[in-house]
Amino acid sequence: MAAEVRILYFGAAQEATGKSDETIVAGDTASVRNQLISRYPALKQIPFRMALNRTLLKGESELQKSDIIAIMPPFQGG
Amino acid sequence: MAAEVRILYFGAAQEATGKSDETIVAGDTASVRNQLISRYPALKQIPFRMALNRTLLKGESELQKSDIIAIMPPFQGG
Amino acid sequence: MKNRYLVGGPITPILISELMTLGNDDAGAGAVSIFIGRVRDDETDGKRVTAIEYSAYEEMAVKEAEEVITTVKSAFSDVRSVIIVHSLGVVKAGEASLFIMVTSGHRDHATRACRHALEMIKERLPVWKKELY
Amino acid sequence: MKNRYLVGGPITPILISELMTLGNDDAGAGAVSIFIGRVRDDETDGKRVTAIEYSAYEEMAVKEAEEVITTVKSAFSDVRSVIIVHSLGVVKAGEASLFIMVTSGHRDHATRACRHALEMIKERLPVWKKELY
C-alpha cells in the first residue's frame, strides 16, 4: 500500500534538492530512495542515510501514512 | 668523605620523625637511610623514597656539602 | 538554550561556567572530565574559515543525545552525571560548539566515559555544518 | 597562586574560569580537554571526610610539573598548550584540588594527552594529603 509520507532534507541534501521538506507517496523506503534519486540526480553524489521516525534505518521498511523520513548526509557534528 | 646535608621530611615522614627538616652528616645516601631508620624506628613502616636535590633517587649516590635530601612517602596528589 | 542538548549560537564561557556548576553539589564526584570542541580557523583552498553554521535534525539529535548518555552511564558504572550541549546556527572561529562534561567517583571512568561520549556524538548526532569564509 | 602550578586552598570556579580563558585566543585549537580532581566526602571507619590538607615539596613539584608538560607536548605533537594547577593547604569536600587543561588541533591528542598528564601527575608530583574529619 502506498502512503503519503513526509521527507526532510538535511545538510548537503538540502542544496541537492533545493528544499528542506516535502510530501511524497511511497510504499516502502526503497521506493522513497528510488523516487528521490530519479527526481534529484544531484542526490546520487551524496552518500546519504535515512532515518524513519527519528531512528536510523537499517535495511528497508514498509511505510505508513504520516511516517517521517529524513535524508541525512554524513554527520559533521562536534 | 662525610658531608653536612639537609634532610627534608614530607607527609607521614614528618609525623614519624616529629620534624620537617634537619641537618645530618653522611657520606652517601645509603648512610642517610641507615641513620634515619635507626634514629626514627617509625620510618620503617613507611615505604619512603628519597630525592636528591629535587630529583628522585635511583640507586644510591655519594653526597656533597649542602646537598638536599627529601624523604618522600608515596605520593598522594590529584 | 533550545533544549537541554542544543543551544543557538556559540557555547559561551558564561554558559560553560553555568554548566560546570551543575555537578558542584555532588561531593561524591571526585573526578570531572570535560571536552570542549571549538571552531578552527582552518584554511581550505586558500580561504580561511571565519565561522561554521551548524544545522541539525533537532528531534532526532535530542533522542540520540539521550541515548549517548544512557549508553555511557551503563558502560561506565562509576559515572554520576553526563552533560552534552551542541551549538546550532553560526559559531565563529575560536568559539565553542560542543561541550561534554562527565562526573564520576574516580578518574578512570570520568576520562574514559567523556572520550566515549565524544566518539558517539561524532558518530551519531545528526548535525551538519557549512563553513563560512 | 604561589606559582604557575601551585595554589593555596581550593581551585575555585573563578580561578577555573580564568584558567580556561588562557586558550581562547588560539583559533587553531579545535579541542580542549579538561580534568578537574575534587575532594570526595568519603567515609572511612565511620567518619566522613570534610576536607583534605595538601602539602608538597614545592620546588620539586614545580620541576616535575614542568617535566610533565614537556613530556606530554613531545608525546602528542598536535598539543598546543598544557596547564596544570594543584592545590596546597585545606580543600573542603566538593572543592577542586587539581586542574589540567590541554588544547590541541583535534580531539584525539587533547583527550589522550590530558589523561596522560593526569597519570603522570598522580605518579610523579610530590604531594601528600591528610584527611580532615
Side-chain angles (χ1 to χ4, degrees):
Chain A
M1 279 290 292
E4 274 202 344
V5 296
R6 192 103 190 118
I7 311 292
L8 309 178
Y9 299 103
F10 291 101
Q14 279 185 8
E15 285 142 43
T17 62
K19 54 187 73 169
S20 62
D21 62 276
E22 68 181 316
T23 300
I24 71 169
V25 174
D28 59 20
T29 52
S31 162
V32 170
R33 193 186 310 269
N34 292 335
Q35 285 186 56
L36 297 185
I37 284 177
S38 88
R39 198 176 304 178
Y40 309 107
L43 267 186
K44 275 185 212 157
Q45 312 306 322
I46 300 170
F48 69 82
R49 294 184 292 176
M50 299 197 287
L52 174 57
N53 299 328
R54 304 181 191 179
T55 297
L56 192 66
L57 193 65
K58 286 164 184 160
E60 304 291 354
S61 173
E62 301 284 305
L63 294 176
Q64 305 198 317
K65 185 167 160 46
S66 303
D67 276 349
I68 298 174
I69 293 172
I71 307 302
M72 308 189 303
F75 301 154
Q76 302 170 302
Chain B
M1 278 290 294
E4 273 203 347
V5 296
R6 191 103 190 119
I7 312 291
L8 309 178
Y9 299 102
F10 291 102
Q14 277 185 9
E15 284 142 45
T17 61
K19 55 186 73 169
S20 61
D21 62 274
E22 68 181 318
T23 300
I24 71 169
V25 174
D28 59 22
T29 52
S31 162
V32 170
R33 194 186 310 270
N34 291 335
Q35 284 187 56
L36 297 185
I37 285 176
S38 90
R39 198 176 308 178
Y40 309 107
L43 268 185
K44 277 187 212 156
Q45 312 305 319
I46 300 171
F48 68 84
R49 293 184 294 176
M50 296 197 289
L52 174 58
N53 299 329
R54 306 181 190 179
T55 298
L56 193 65
L57 193 66
K58 287 163 184 159
E60 304 291 356
S61 173
E62 302 284 305
L63 293 176
Q64 305 198 315
K65 185 164 160 49
S66 302
D67 278 346
I68 299 174
I69 294 171
I71 306 301
M72 309 189 301
F75 300 154
Q76 301 171 303
Chain C
M1 296 189 55
K2 301 172 79 92
N3 54 57
R4 294 180 68 136
Y5 308 106
L6 298 171
V7 59
I11 303 173
T12 62
I14 290 171
L15 176 54
I16 289 174
S17 290
E18 285 172 12
L19 292 168
M20 286 175 68
T21 64
L22 293 179
N24 277 359
D25 58 347
D26 178 9
V32 183
S33 187
I34 294 171
F35 180 84
I36 298 170
R38 309 196 315 161
V39 172
R40 273 192 315 276
D41 61 351
D42 282 345
E43 201 175 297
T44 42
D45 306 332
K47 294 183 299 181
R48 191 162 291 283
V49 172
T50 60
I52 286 180
E53 185 171 5
Y54 290 97
S55 60
Y57 183 6
E58 295 187 28
E59 298 85 345
M60 184 173 164
V62 167
K63 177 179 153 286
E64 293 293 326
E66 282 168 354
E67 285 183 25
V68 169
I69 292 173
T70 303
T71 302
V72 161
K73 282 185 173 171
S74 76
F76 299 95
S77 57
D78 192 34
V79 165
R80 301 168 80 96
S81 70
V82 181
I83 289 173
I84 295 169
V85 180
H86 200 295
S87 288
L88 293 181
V90 175
V91 180
K92 293 201 283 259
E95 291 181 330
S97 57
L98 173 62
F99 177 87
I100 305 169
M101 181 170 84
V102 177
T103 66
S104 68
H106 302 77
R107 72 188 186 280
D108 186 50
H109 277 201
T111 55
R112 287 167 58 202
C114 186
R115 173 69 191 251
H116 195 70
L118 172 56
E119 297 306 318
M120 285 189 77
I121 286 165
K122 286 271 178 187
E123 200 178 314
R124 296 182 49 164
L125 221 60
V127 171
W128 297 273
K129 65 182 186 183
K130 194 167 127 183
E131 280 85 2
L132 306 177
Y133 300 94
Chain D
M1 298 188 53
K2 298 172 83 91
N3 54 57
R4 295 179 68 133
Y5 308 107
L6 298 170
V7 59
I11 303 173
T12 62
I14 289 172
L15 177 55
I16 288 174
S17 291
E18 286 172 10
L19 293 169
M20 286 174 68
T21 65
L22 292 180
N24 278 358
D25 57 348
D26 178 9
V32 183
S33 188
I34 294 170
F35 180 84
I36 299 170
R38 309 197 313 160
V39 171
R40 274 193 314 278
D41 62 348
D42 282 345
E43 202 175 298
T44 43
D45 305 332
K47 295 182 298 179
R48 189 162 292 281
V49 172
T50 60
I52 286 180
E53 185 171 3
Y54 290 97
S55 60
Y57 182 8
E58 295 186 29
E59 297 86 347
M60 183 173 167
V62 166
K63 177 179 154 284
E64 293 292 326
E66 283 168 354
E67 284 184 25
V68 169
I69 291 173
T70 302
T71 302
V72 161
K73 282 184 172 171
S74 74
F76 299 95
S77 57
D78 192 32
V79 164
R80 302 169 79 95
S81 71
V82 180
I83 290 173
I84 294 169
V85 180
H86 199 294
S87 288
L88 292 182
V90 175
V91 180
K92 291 200 284 257
E95 292 180 328
S97 57
L98 173 63
F99 176 86
I100 305 170
M101 181 169 84
V102 178
T103 67
S104 68
H106 302 78
R107 71 188 187 280
D108 186 49
H109 278 200
T111 55
R112 287 166 58 204
C114 187
R115 174 68 191 252
H116 194 71
L118 172 56
E119 297 305 319
M120 285 189 78
I121 287 165
K122 286 270 179 187
E123 199 178 315
R124 296 183 49 165
L125 220 60
V127 171
W128 296 272
K129 64 184 187 183
K130 194 167 129 185
E131 280 84 1
L132 305 177
Y133 299 94

